[in-house]
Amino acid sequence: MNPDRILEGLNPEQKKAVMCTEGPLLVFAGAGSGKTKVITNRIAYLITQKNVKSEDILAVTFTKKAAGEMQERVTKILQDLGVEGEKIPLIGTFHSIGAIMLRQNAEIVGLGNNFSIYDSDDSENMIKEILLERDIDIKQIKPSAISYFISSAKNDMIAPEQFPFHYGGFIEDVVADIYPVYQKQLQAQNAVDFGDLLYLTVKLLEENQNVRSRYQERFKYLLIDEYQDTNTVQYRFAKLLAEKHHNICVVGDDDQGIYAWRGANIKNIQSFENDFENVTVVKLEQNYRSTKNVIKAAVNVIQQNNSRVDKVLWTDNNEGEKISIYQALDQEDEAEYVLSNIRLLQQKGVQLRDMAILYRTNYQSRAIEEAFLKSGIPYKLVGGFRFYERKEIKDIISFLRFCFNPKDELSLDRILNIPPRKMGPKAKAELHSFAKESALTIGEFLIAAYVCENRENLKESGFSKDLIDSLSASKDKWKKYLSVISLFGNLYFYSKGKELIETIDYLLERVRYIEWFDDGSEESIMKKDNITELKNVASSYSKKHGISSMEVFLNEINIIEQEQTKNQDGTGNYLNLMTLHSSKGLEFDFVFIIGAEEGLLPHSRSFLEEEELEEERRLCYVGITRAKRKLFITFAEQRLTREGFSSQLPSRFLGEIPQDICEYYSYR
C-alpha cells in the first residue's frame, strides 16, 4: 500500500511523528496542532506499512468519549485505505484497560472474575459503616474525606500499611485505621473501587513476572494520549508495559497541564527522556485552529512560566481581529457586556453553538445565566449544573421556601433530613400521620409543635389555642422529634421580619449546612463559592427590598426556574458556558473569558506557590487557545461580597498580552 495516502496533508513534524514507529517517541502537541490526526494516522501506519497486528497495539486515553472518537477515526481511516477485515486495536481509558486486566487475572489478586466495581457513593457508604462501627462521629469525620484520602493514596501507589509513613494529621490518622479495614471488606465482598482498577493492576504487573511478560508481549506498541495529565499509578502502568519493547509513544503538552489538583504530574512528560534511552522528540508547533493574534496572546502568556519545555506555537492563519479587553463595573455589568456582544454576533449570522463563555470557578456563571434567561438566549452548562440547579443552592432555597410557606411539602421533604438527622421514610411517615390527625401539613405540624414549647409565638403562628392545647396533650407521641421541631420552628419564626441575607446567614449557622459537607476537597470549595455567590445575590435583594427581600427573591427564583425550563430551542443551538478546566480539548469561533482578576484568575490559592501559579497560567493559556476567530476578556473593577463591594485588580496575565494586539474598553 502506498504510504502517501496516510501521510497526505501532514506537515513535516506530523509525518515524523507518524513514521517514527520503533523505540520511545515523545510528541509535544501544541494546542490546535492536529494531535488526534497524528495519533490515528500513526496507528494506521503501523498496521498498513509496518505490518503490525492490531492486537499488538494498545492506545490509552483519559475519557470514554476520547476513546470512542479515536476508535471511530481509526476505523474510518482503515476503511478509506481499503483495509478490510482488520480488527481495531484495543483503545480505552486507563481504568477500562485496568478492569480488563484485573478480570483476566482476578484469582491472582484474590478476586473472582465477576467482581463488582463500586462507584464513589458505594465506597462512601462502606466507609460510613466502618466509621459507625468504631463509634466515630461521621459529622466530624466525613466518609467523603476518608474516601478522598484513600483514592489519593491509591493514585500514588501507597498501600494501606504504608499510609501512616506518608501522611500525618488528625484525619489522616483516622484514614490509616480505616484504609486496611476498607480494603479487606472490599475483597470480602468480591468488589473493587474505581481506584483499585489501576492500583491493583499495577501491583499485579509489578509482583507477577509471568503476567507482566504476557502483557508486554501482547502490547508491543503502546500509545498514550494527554500524557501530561498522568498521575503516579498511570505513569507506572505505562512504564511497566513498555519496559520490554520500548515502543511507547506519548503525546501531550506540558503547557496544557491543568490537573495537578487531582494528582496529575506534568513532570511525567517533561522527564520522559530520562525514563527511556534514545528517545525521539517531535514538537508539533503549528496551530491550525486560531488567528495569529490569538496565538501571539497565548504564547506571550505561557512563556512567562519557567518550568516548561521550550517550544513556540505559531500559525499560518490570518492576523484576525484584535483581542477585546473590557473593564466592567461589576459582575452584572460584565454579564451585560457579554450579552450585548453575543447579540451583535448573532446579527452577523454567528450561531450560538460557535460561542463559549469560560470562567475560573462555577459560581461565576450566576450573573451570566440570569442575563441570558432574562434575554431569552438558550444556553447549556458543559460539565456542570446551572447555578440554581446546584444541590447546595436548591437546598438553601428549599429552606427559604419552608420559612416563607410551611405548607410547601416538596421543599420540606427535600430538607427534612439535610444534613442527615435520622429522618428517613419511617420517621417522615410518622410525622405525616401526626400532622394528618390535626388536619395539618407536616410543615404546619412542626411549627405548631414548636409553639407548644414556646407559647410566646402563639399569636404570630396563626394557630388557635385549642389546636395547640390538643397537640400538647398528645406530646408523648411526638416528643422524640423535639430536636427536629426545634430546628424548623426556630428557622420559621426567626425569618419573620428579617431580610433575606439575615435569614440565610442564620439558617446556615443553625443547620450547620457548610460544616456538613466541608471536607477540604475541591468539590466542597466549589460548593462554598456557590453559597457565597448566593449570599451576594441575597445582599443585593436585602439592600433593595428590605424585609420584603425574601418574598421578592422567591418570586423571581420561580420565574428563573420557569425560564430555565423554557430555555430550549429544539435545534441544539445553545451558547456554551463552562469552567476553564472543562474547556480543555474544545474549540469555538468566539470565546469570552470572564473574571480575569487577581484572586480569580489566577486564583488566590495559587499566590503562595510558584508551581500553583504556573498551573493557573497554563489554565489561562488553555482558555485563550480555545478561540479560533476572536477572543474577548473581561475583568470587573469591583465584585459584590458579603461585606459589600470589594475592589478588584486586573489579572497579571492581562499585562502579559502585548498591547498592540488588544483593543481596550471600559464601562466608564
Side-chain angles (χ1 to χ4, degrees):
M1 181 176 293
N2 188 346
D4 290 345
R5 291 185 63 188
I6 300 174
L7 304 176
E8 187 178 345
L10 301 180
N11 66 39
E13 290 303 299
Q14 289 175 327
K15 288 179 182 177
K16 184 178 178 182
V18 168
M19 298 172 69
C20 180
T21 58
E22 307 304 309
L25 172 65
L26 169 59
V27 181
F28 285 106
S33 62
K35 174 191 70 172
T36 306
K37 186 175 183 179
V38 168
I39 291 171
T40 53
N41 281 40
R42 188 173 190 275
I43 292 172
Y45 191 87
L46 281 167
I47 293 171
T48 62
Q49 304 304 310
K50 296 297 180 177
N51 297 317
V52 175
K53 296 178 181 177
S54 59
E55 55 263 34
D56 291 345
I57 302 171
L58 172 64
V60 187
T61 66
F62 271 82
T63 67
K64 187 177 178 181
K65 181 184 178 184
E69 289 175 354
M70 194 179 294
Q71 285 177 336
E72 288 178 10
R73 290 205 184 197
V74 171
T75 300
K76 187 176 186 307
I77 192 170
L78 289 176
Q79 287 174 344
D80 291 345
L81 291 169
V83 180
E84 301 293 338
E86 182 66 52
K87 292 181 179 179
I88 300 299
L90 181 58
I91 301 173
T93 65
F94 277 102
H95 291 94
S96 69
I97 303 299
I100 292 170
M101 291 182 177
L102 274 187
R103 290 207 188 277
Q104 292 173 344
N105 302 276
E107 290 185 7
I108 299 175
V109 294
L111 294 166
N113 60 12
N114 62 336
F115 61 78
S116 299
I117 301 173
Y118 285 176
D119 61 20
S120 57
D121 288 341
D122 297 325
S123 297
E124 286 182 25
N125 285 334
M126 181 181 286
I127 291 167
K128 178 182 175 181
E129 293 303 317
I130 298 171
L131 290 170
L132 291 172
E133 286 171 6
R134 283 162 165 67
D135 294 322
I136 295 173
D137 187 353
I138 61 172
K139 293 180 181 177
Q140 297 296 320
I141 305 293
K142 296 177 176 59
S144 59
I146 303 293
S147 177
Y148 169 79
F149 275 105
I150 291 175
S151 178
S152 297
K154 290 178 179 180
N155 285 339
D156 289 336
M157 287 301 299
I158 296 170
E161 63 274 11
Q162 298 169 326
F163 189 89
F165 303 103
H166 291 268
Y167 296 90
F170 173 69
I171 191 168
E172 290 89 340
D173 289 344
V174 178
V175 178
D177 179 46
I178 301 299
Y179 187 6
V181 180
Y182 170 74
Q183 283 303 108
K184 286 178 182 176
Q185 286 205 16
L186 280 174
Q187 193 159 31
Q189 296 180 25
N190 193 35
V192 298
D193 64 16
F194 201 65
D196 281 330
L197 294 177
L198 277 178
Y199 171 72
L200 292 179
T201 300
V202 170
K203 279 178 64 71
L204 173 72
L205 294 171
E206 287 181 340
E207 297 172 4
N208 193 300
Q209 187 175 343
N210 289 334
V211 174
R212 183 168 69 252
S213 297
R214 177 157 44 90
Y215 285 114
Q216 288 173 346
E217 198 54 44
R218 178 183 172 185
F219 301 122
K220 297 182 177 69
Y221 294 85
L222 178 62
L223 192 151
I224 301 176
D225 192 17
E226 302 289 3
Y227 195 67
Q228 79 280 347
D229 294 335
T230 52
N231 57 26
T232 298
V233 69
Q234 292 159 342
Y235 167 79
R236 284 167 66 167
F237 176 81
K239 279 201 72 179
L240 284 162
L241 286 182
E243 69 179 10
K244 182 175 181 180
H245 295 286
H246 296 177
N247 296 325
I248 177 172
C249 168
V250 300
V251 183
D253 182 10
D254 60 326
D255 287 337
Q256 297 185 73
I258 57 174
Y259 296 119
W261 53 273
R262 68 184 190 193
N265 187 352
I266 62 166
K267 288 184 172 57
N268 290 344
I269 191 169
Q270 292 174 338
S271 62
F272 183 81
E273 291 178 81
N274 298 327
D275 293 328
F276 296 92
E277 294 181 356
N278 302 317
V279 175
T280 301
V281 179
V282 176
K283 296 178 182 179
L284 305 182
E285 297 170 298
Q286 183 174 359
N287 175 284
Y288 294 92
R289 174 189 300 159
S290 307
T291 64
K292 280 187 170 69
N293 281 334
V294 169
I295 296 302
K296 190 173 180 181
V299 168
N300 275 270
V301 169
I302 200 63
Q303 284 183 336
Q304 304 305 312
N305 275 0
N306 295 316
S307 301
R308 63 183 294 268
V309 175
D310 185 43
K311 49 193 172 310
V312 179
L313 205 62
W314 62 275
T315 184
D316 273 338
N317 294 337
N318 59 39
E319 293 288 336
E321 295 184 60
K322 288 188 174 183
I323 293 157
S324 294
I325 297 177
Y326 178 70
Q327 178 186 23
L329 172 62
D330 53 27
Q331 58 260 56
E332 312 302 332
D333 181 52
E334 182 178 59
E336 286 301 316
Y337 172 79
V338 172
L339 177 62
S340 64
N341 277 280
I342 285 168
R343 288 295 196 204
L344 288 172
L345 290 169
Q346 282 186 297
Q347 291 171 13
K348 294 177 181 178
V350 180
Q351 297 292 302
L352 290 173
R353 66 171 66 90
D354 296 324
M355 298 182 250
I357 300 169
L358 314 182
Y359 36 84
R360 176 62 179 83
T361 56
N362 275 298
Y363 78 83
Q364 292 174 257
S365 75
R366 195 274 311 164
I368 298 287
E369 287 188 67
E370 289 190 10
F372 290 168
L373 287 167
K374 289 174 183 175
S375 64
I377 289 184
Y379 68 92
K380 66 175 181 180
L381 263 81
V382 178
F385 293 100
R386 297 167 184 256
F387 183 81
Y388 290 107
E389 291 175 352
R390 293 166 192 165
K391 182 184 183 305
E392 58 277 11
I393 303 301
K394 292 182 75 170
D395 286 347
I396 294 169
I397 290 173
S398 292
F399 276 109
L400 295 173
R401 282 173 170 158
F402 163 79
C403 291
F404 187 70
N405 173 24
K407 292 184 179 181
D408 184 344
E409 293 212 352
L410 280 177
S411 293
L412 183 61
D413 186 64
R414 177 182 182 92
I415 56 175
L416 196 58
N417 200 41
I418 290 180
R421 52 180 72 91
K422 299 180 180 179
M423 294 299 297
K426 186 178 178 182
K428 289 180 181 179
E430 195 168 23
L431 280 181
H432 183 74
S433 70
F434 296 153
K436 196 173 179 182
E437 287 174 13
S438 302
L440 301 171
T441 64
I442 294 178
E444 289 176 310
F445 169 77
L446 292 174
I447 294 167
Y450 179 83
V451 174
C452 290
E453 300 295 298
N454 302 270
R455 295 270 175 157
E456 66 272 18
N457 295 117
L458 176 60
K459 186 177 180 180
E460 192 178 9
S461 73
F463 296 123
S464 68
K465 184 176 179 299
D466 290 344
L467 173 66
I468 300 303
D469 289 342
S470 172
L471 273 180
S472 295
S474 61
K475 180 180 175 180
D476 285 345
K477 291 195 299 185
W478 48 263
K479 66 180 182 181
K480 64 180 176 181
Y481 297 112
L482 278 176
S483 63
V484 174
I485 289 166
S486 175
L487 172 66
F488 284 91
N490 258 302
L491 290 177
Y492 175 76
F493 285 107
Y494 178 88
S495 69
K496 304 304 139 188
K498 297 292 194 302
E499 295 181 2
L500 176 61
I501 185 62
E502 293 178 289
T503 301
I504 291 178
D505 280 340
Y506 181 77
L507 78 86
L508 287 172
E509 181 181 353
R510 189 73 171 74
V511 174
R512 298 180 66 83
Y513 186 84
I514 293 175
E515 290 88 336
W516 168 51
F517 67 74
D518 188 13
D519 57 9
S521 65
E522 190 75 19
E523 184 182 1
S524 72
I525 292 169
M526 287 193 291
K527 286 182 178 180
K528 286 194 289 185
D529 284 343
N530 286 333
I531 291 172
T532 298
E533 181 65 12
L534 181 65
K535 289 172 67 174
N536 292 342
V537 175
S539 292
S540 296
Y541 274 84
S542 296
K543 189 177 292 185
K544 190 174 181 180
H545 301 286
I547 60 173
S548 303
S549 51
M550 185 155 75
E551 180 180 356
V552 176
F553 174 75
L554 291 175
N555 286 340
E556 294 196 3
I557 283 298
N558 288 332
I559 295 169
I560 287 172
E561 289 176 339
Q562 288 296 316
E563 291 298 325
Q564 286 180 337
T565 303
K566 294 188 297 184
N567 189 239
Q568 310 285 331
D569 69 357
T571 67
N573 188 29
Y574 306 103
L575 188 71
N576 302 277
L577 275 66
M578 70 195 77
T579 64
L580 286 158
H581 283 99
S582 296
S583 74
K584 178 90 182 305
L586 304 177
E587 59 182 44
F588 305 92
D589 285 343
F590 299 87
V591 169
F592 297 79
I593 299 176
I594 65 172
E597 301 149 28
E598 291 290 296
L600 268 180
L601 182 68
H603 200 282
S604 56
R605 294 197 302 273
S606 71
F607 288 172
L608 298 178
E609 296 290 339
E610 182 66 23
E611 285 185 4
E612 293 184 15
L613 184 59
E614 291 204 348
E615 176 141 335
E616 290 290 302
R617 186 174 280 107
R618 292 195 292 270
L619 190 58
C620 181
Y621 172 82
V622 166
I624 293 172
T625 54
R626 299 312 94 193
K628 296 165 67 176
R629 293 173 57 186
K630 170 80 174 176
L631 175 66
F632 301 81
I633 305 177
T634 67
F635 65 96
E637 186 176 277
Q638 56 186 19
R639 287 197 183 266
L640 186 61
T641 67
R642 176 65 183 92
E643 289 74 31
F645 282 101
S646 65
S647 297
Q648 302 294 108
L649 293 173
S651 170
R652 68 191 72 189
F653 303 151
L654 290 176
E656 295 166 0
I657 299 174
Q659 292 187 12
D660 64 309
I661 62 169
C662 298
E663 49 189 11
Y664 299 90
Y665 303 93
S666 173
Y667 73 94
R668 299 176 188 273

